[in-house]
Amino acid sequence: MTERQQLPPGAEDLHRVTITDVARAAGVSVATVSKVINERYGVAARTSEHVQRVIEQLGYESSLVARSLRSHKTHVIGILVPEFEPFSTEVLKGTSRAITGTGYELLAYSGGGRAGEVVGWERRYLSRLSGTLIDGAIMMTPTVVRTAGSVPVVAIDPHAGPADSPTVDADSYAGAVLATEHLLQLGHRRIGFLGGRPDLDSARLREDGYRDALATAGIPVDPDLVRLGGYRRQVAAAPTRELLSLADRPTAIFAANDLSAIGVLDVARELGLTVPTDLSVVGFDNVPESALTEPPLTTVQQPLQEMGAQAVHLLLRLVHGEPGASTHVRLPTSLVRRGSTAPPAAAPGRAGG
Amino acid sequence: MTERQQLPPGAEDLHRVTITDVARAAGVSVATVSKVINERYGVAARTSEHVQRVIEQLGYESSLVARSLRSHKTHVIGILVPEFEPFSTEVLKGTSRAITGTGYELLAYSGGGRAGEVVGWERRYLSRLSGTLIDGAIMMTPTVVRTAGSVPVVAIDPHAGPADSPTVDADSYAGAVLATEHLLQLGHRRIGFLGGRPDLDSARLREDGYRDALATAGIPVDPDLVRLGGYRRQVAAAPTRELLSLADRPTAIFAANDLSAIGVLDVARELGLTVPTDLSVVGFDNVPESALTEPPLTTVQQPLQEMGAQAVHLLLRLVHGEPGASTHVRLPTSLVRRGSTAPPAAAPGRAGG
DNA sequence: CTGTTAGCGCTTTCAT
DNA sequence: ATGAAAGCGCTAACAG
C-alpha cells in the first residue's frame, strides 16, 4: 500500500517524481525546494518543514545525474574495472569497507568486457564519467592513465609503470622471488615461468623476480622455459602445453597470476600429469578461487582488499585537496603454501637455500 | 565565457573536452557533432569524416551523464547492492560474464554501507539512478521493491517474498532440507539453527526446511536451539555463544548463510571447541570464502554467478519490451561436503535415512 | 525569505 | 545538409 494520495493513483508511474513535481505540490518554486534539499540558508523554518513533508509524501529523491551535471560534486567515487572477475571484486570488497562512514558512495563501472578492447577502456570510461557523476576514480590495472582534464585518479596495480599517477600496488618483485625460492628449496631445478605480457609492469617485475632468484641460486635461465600466459585462464593453455611437451620438461611452473596458474592445472590434468607429484604449480594473487582448485593452489598473496582500502583513502585525500601524503603505496606480498607444490618426483634431494 | 581556442597543448587539462569544444574545433555546430556521434542521417560524408577526425584528435568522449539526462537511453544497466561483500560480488561476476556482447555496460552502485540503513536503500538508489543513467536495474537482496515510476527491475534473492517483481533466486527450502538431512545422517540429533531475520523470505524458507527435515526424521524441534544470526558474522557471535553454553548444547549448527557460519566457527574456537569433532557446522551460499575457513565449511551451494547471469538475461528482455518469458527463475541448490561436519563425538552411530 | 534566470553537456525538432 | 533553439532535472547567482 502506498501511503501517498497527493497524486492521482498511478500517476507516479508515468514519470519519476522530479523537483518540479515537489515544487508544484508544495506551492513553492523549484529553487526553494533545492535549497531545502541542500540545506542552504534562506528558507523559513515553516516552509522548509512543509517542503520536507511533501518530499516525504511523494517519495522524491533527487536525480544523481541532473544534480551532478549542474554541481560537479556528487560524493560518489568511481571504481573503473575492465571486468568483474576474482581480482577486481576482491579489491572491490576492500573499497566497500573503506568507504563506510566517509559520506561517499561507490559506483563500480565496467564495460561489456569486450575482449578486443584490452587497451583504451581506461580513457573511455574516465571520460564518460568524470567531470560529472564521480568526484574521483580508482582505476584497476590500467595500462595507461591519462589524468588530463579529469577528476583525481588513483591506479591500482597499473601495468604501465608506477610513474603516471598516484598508485597502490603490491610488491610483485619480492613475491616472485619468494615463489621461485620456494620451488628451489623443494629441489626443483627446471622451473618454467608463465608470464603476463612483457609490456606490463607487474608482469615484468614478476619475471625479474623469477630470473634473479634463479641467478642467485646459480641456475641459468633456459629461455625455452619462459612463456607468455596473458594473465588469463584460456590464454595460458597453449603455452603451457608447449612447456609440458618439451623433451626435458620443467618439474615446476610459476605462473604470473592465479588465473593462468589454474590454466596450468587444466592442462596438466588434460595431459595426465598429477599435481604436485609430476608437476608443481605456483600462482600469484591469492584470489579466493585459488583455494578451490584441486589441489589447492600454492600462491603469492597480494593484500587485495587492503589495496582497495588504501586506494580509497588516498583518493579521498586527493579529492579533498589535502597534501597528498605518499603518492605511491606498495604493500607486501607473502607466500601461501597449499597443495600444488612438492619436491620433484625424482628429486636429487633438498637444495641448499 | 570560457575561451579556449584550438586548445594549446595542455589546455585540455582545464576542462574535460565537451561537444562544444569539438564543434568549435571542427567549425560546425554541436548539433552536427551530435548527429555524427549518433550516426544520424543528414550529415555529409565529408563533414562526418572531418568531425570524426577532430573527435579522435581531441580525445573526446561524450558524457554519460549529459547524454542520459537528455535521451533517457544509456545502454547501461545498474546493479544495486547494499554493500560489496562475498555474496554480491559473486553475483556480480555472473552479470559481468552475461553482459559481454550485449552492447550494454554495467554500473554497480553501493552506498556507504551505513549499517543503520538496512532498509530503504533500495528505493533511494533506484530513484537516484533510474529514469536517467540506467535503462534497467538488478537489485540484490532487496527487502522492498517498488518499481513504480522507474525502469524495469529484476530482484535477486529478494527478502520480501517473490511476488513483487521479476525475481531470480535459489531453492532455499530444498537446500535447507539437504543441509539438515546431511547432519541427521551423520547421527546428529541436537541440531541448532541460526536463522537470518524472520521477516526475510529466504531466511524463513531455510528455517522451514530445517524444521520439516527434523519433523520427517521424527525429531521434535527444541525452541531453545533456534536463534537469529542476522546473516552477518559479528551478529552471529552472541546467539552462537548462547547456543553453545546450553546445558544440553547442540552437537551441530546449521547457519542460514556462510557469513554467520563463519561466525559460528569463530565462537567455537573461542570456546575451545574443535570443529568438526566437538561441533559440526553447515553454512549456506557457498561463497568462495567458505572454502578458506579452518576447517573448510560444509555448505549449501547457490549458483550465485548463474543467478547473476539469469538476472541479466531477464532484465534485458524486459528492457527490450519482449514478452517476458518466466517472471520468476528459481535455481537449484546442492550440498557441498567439506571439513566442518562429522558424526557427533559420542554418536549413537548412523541413523537410518 | 523567495522566485526568476541562466546554464551544466547533450539530443532533438524545426527552420533555413 | 546544417544550425538555432528548446529543454532534460537540477543548482547557483541575483533580484525582488
Side-chain angles (χ1 to χ4, degrees):
Chain A
M1 189 85 178
T2 47
E3 60 283 273
R4 77 186 98 131
Q5 34 250 150
Q6 295 302 76
L7 297 185
E12 75 276 27
D13 286 273
L14 299 179
H15 288 308
R16 60 184 294 283
V17 8
T18 76
I19 197 173
T20 312
D21 299 325
V22 174
R24 187 158 29 218
V28 298
S29 73
V30 295
T32 302
V33 177
S34 176
K35 281 171 195 153
V36 170
I37 293 167
N38 298 292
E39 297 171 305
R40 291 276 177 285
Y41 289 111
V43 182
R46 257 173 48 88
T47 314
S48 178
E49 264 176 47
H50 176 221
V51 171
Q52 292 275 23
R53 196 160 16 246
V54 173
I55 287 177
E56 199 89 352
Q57 266 174 48
L58 262 44
Y60 168 73
E61 195 75 45
S62 78
S63 158
L64 179 60
V65 168
R67 175 198 292 256
S68 79
L69 182 56
R70 190 58 236 247
S71 72
H72 289 202
K73 223 59 189 149
T74 59
H75 283 251
V76 173
I77 77 172
I79 322 274
L80 277 34
V81 307
E83 190 182 346
F84 294 111
E85 28 65 41
F87 184 96
S88 56
T89 52
E90 234 15 58
V91 175
L92 212 47
K93 291 173 194 169
T95 61
S96 190
R97 195 177 309 141
I99 205 77
T100 66
T102 62
Y104 280 77
E105 308 198 318
L106 241 38
L107 156 13
Y109 191 76
S110 153
R114 274 162 290 168
E117 204 194 28
V118 182
V119 77
W121 61 270
E122 306 93 343
R123 226 260 316 258
R124 226 175 71 73
Y125 289 7
L126 194 55
S127 296
R128 276 168 74 77
L129 303 185
S130 100
T132 45
L133 234 212
I134 58 178
D135 291 348
I138 293 175
M139 202 116 56
M140 213 95 79
T141 60
T143 48
V144 286
V145 191
R146 281 280 295 137
T147 304
S150 78
V151 293
V153 174
V154 170
I156 289 189
D157 194 23
H159 289 156
D164 237 9
S165 61
T167 293
V168 175
D169 65 7
D171 195 339
S172 282
Y173 177 81
V177 170
L178 283 177
T180 312
E181 283 178 345
H182 170 61
L183 257 12
L184 287 168
Q185 272 159 28
L186 286 172
H188 293 276
R189 288 301 170 266
R190 286 191 65 71
I191 302 174
F193 178 75
L194 201 57
R197 298 205 319 250
D199 57 314
L200 307 185
D201 213 55
S202 66
R204 214 163 38 215
L205 285 169
R206 289 169 202 179
E207 182 168 336
D208 288 351
Y210 159 80
R211 289 180 182 274
D212 289 1
L214 285 185
T216 303
I219 299 178
V221 174
D222 180 346
D224 256 12
L225 295 188
V226 178
R227 309 272 167 154
L228 263 28
Y231 279 160
R232 310 194 115 242
R233 182 170 180 169
Q234 292 84 347
V235 176
T240 301
R241 248 185 299 268
E242 293 171 17
L243 234 29
L244 295 180
S245 306
L246 252 28
D248 189 12
R249 67 168 176 78
T251 61
I253 294 180
F254 169 35
N257 76 341
D258 283 345
L259 286 183
S260 50
I262 291 173
V264 172
L265 257 24
D266 292 340
V267 172
R269 189 172 307 113
E270 165 194 321
L271 260 37
L273 295 174
T274 303
V275 175
T277 321
D278 303 325
L279 179 73
S280 283
V281 180
V282 180
F284 204 110
D285 283 350
N286 193 30
V287 294
E289 279 76 359
S290 69
L292 294 172
T293 56
E294 181 45 42
L297 200 61
T298 293
T299 188
V300 177
Q301 121 121 3
Q302 299 196 62
L304 263 15
Q305 296 194 22
E306 179 63 16
M307 286 163 69
Q310 294 277 353
V312 166
H313 294 140
L314 193 52
L315 181 61
L316 252 26
R317 226 176 287 139
L318 292 172
V319 168
H320 294 144
E322 289 172 31
S326 71
T327 184
H328 184 182
V329 178
R330 172 157 288 173
L331 269 24
T333 47
S334 60
L335 186 73
V336 178
R337 278 161 230 245
R338 286 199 278 250
S340 66
T341 48
R350 308 206 119 237
Chain B
M1 175 119 160
T2 44
E3 48 248 76
R4 72 192 98 121
Q5 322 130 253
Q6 295 307 67
L7 293 188
E12 75 273 29
D13 286 87
L14 300 178
H15 287 306
R16 60 185 294 282
V17 9
T18 74
I19 197 174
T20 311
D21 299 325
V22 174
R24 186 156 32 213
V28 298
S29 73
V30 296
T32 301
V33 177
S34 175
K35 281 171 196 153
V36 170
I37 293 168
N38 299 291
E39 297 171 305
R40 293 275 176 284
Y41 288 110
V43 181
R46 256 173 48 87
T47 313
S48 178
E49 263 175 49
H50 176 222
V51 171
Q52 295 273 23
R53 196 160 16 244
V54 172
I55 287 177
E56 199 89 352
Q57 262 174 50
L58 263 42
Y60 168 74
E61 194 74 45
S62 78
S63 158
L64 179 60
V65 168
R67 176 198 290 254
S68 79
L69 182 57
R70 190 60 235 251
S71 72
H72 289 203
K73 222 57 189 152
T74 58
H75 283 255
V76 173
I77 78 170
I79 323 274
L80 276 34
V81 306
E83 190 182 347
F84 293 112
E85 27 66 40
F87 184 96
S88 56
T89 51
E90 241 4 69
V91 175
L92 212 47
K93 291 173 194 169
T95 61
S96 189
R97 196 175 310 141
I99 206 76
T100 67
T102 61
Y104 280 78
E105 308 199 317
L106 241 37
L107 156 13
Y109 191 76
S110 153
R114 273 162 291 169
E117 205 194 29
V118 182
V119 76
W121 61 270
E122 305 91 343
R123 225 259 318 255
R124 224 174 73 71
Y125 289 6
L126 194 55
S127 296
R128 276 168 74 79
L129 303 185
S130 98
T132 44
L133 237 210
I134 58 177
D135 292 348
I138 293 175
M139 201 116 56
M140 213 95 79
T141 59
T143 48
V144 288
V145 190
R146 282 278 296 136
T147 303
S150 79
V151 294
V153 174
V154 169
I156 289 190
D157 194 23
H159 289 157
D164 237 7
S165 61
T167 293
V168 176
D169 65 7
D171 196 339
S172 282
Y173 177 83
V177 169
L178 283 177
T180 312
E181 283 177 346
H182 170 61
L183 257 12
L184 287 168
Q185 272 160 27
L186 286 171
H188 292 276
R189 288 301 170 266
R190 284 192 64 72
I191 302 175
F193 178 74
L194 201 57
R197 299 205 320 249
D199 57 315
L200 307 184
D201 214 55
S202 66
R204 215 162 39 216
L205 285 168
R206 289 170 202 179
E207 181 168 337
D208 287 352
Y210 159 79
R211 290 179 182 275
D212 288 1
L214 285 185
T216 304
I219 298 179
V221 173
D222 179 346
D224 256 12
L225 295 188
V226 178
R227 310 269 167 155
L228 263 29
Y231 278 158
R232 310 193 117 241
R233 183 170 179 170
Q234 293 83 348
V235 176
T240 302
R241 248 185 298 269
E242 293 171 16
L243 233 31
L244 295 180
S245 305
L246 253 27
D248 190 10
R249 66 169 176 77
T251 60
I253 293 180
F254 169 35
N257 77 340
D258 283 345
L259 285 183
S260 49
I262 291 173
V264 172
L265 256 25
D266 293 340
V267 172
R269 189 171 308 113
E270 165 195 321
L271 261 37
L273 295 174
T274 303
V275 175
T277 323
D278 303 325
L279 179 73
S280 283
V281 180
V282 180
F284 203 108
D285 281 351
N286 193 29
V287 293
E289 280 77 357
S290 68
L292 294 171
T293 57
E294 183 43 45
L297 201 61
T298 294
T299 189
V300 177
Q301 122 121 359
Q302 299 196 61
L304 261 16
Q305 296 194 22
E306 179 62 18
M307 286 163 68
Q310 294 277 352
V312 166
H313 294 139
L314 193 51
L315 181 60
L316 252 26
R317 225 174 288 140
L318 292 172
V319 168
H320 293 144
E322 289 173 29
S326 72
T327 183
H328 184 182
V329 178
R330 170 158 289 174
L331 268 24
T333 47
S334 60
L335 187 73
V336 179
R337 278 161 231 242
R338 287 199 278 250
S340 67
T341 48
R350 310 204 117 238

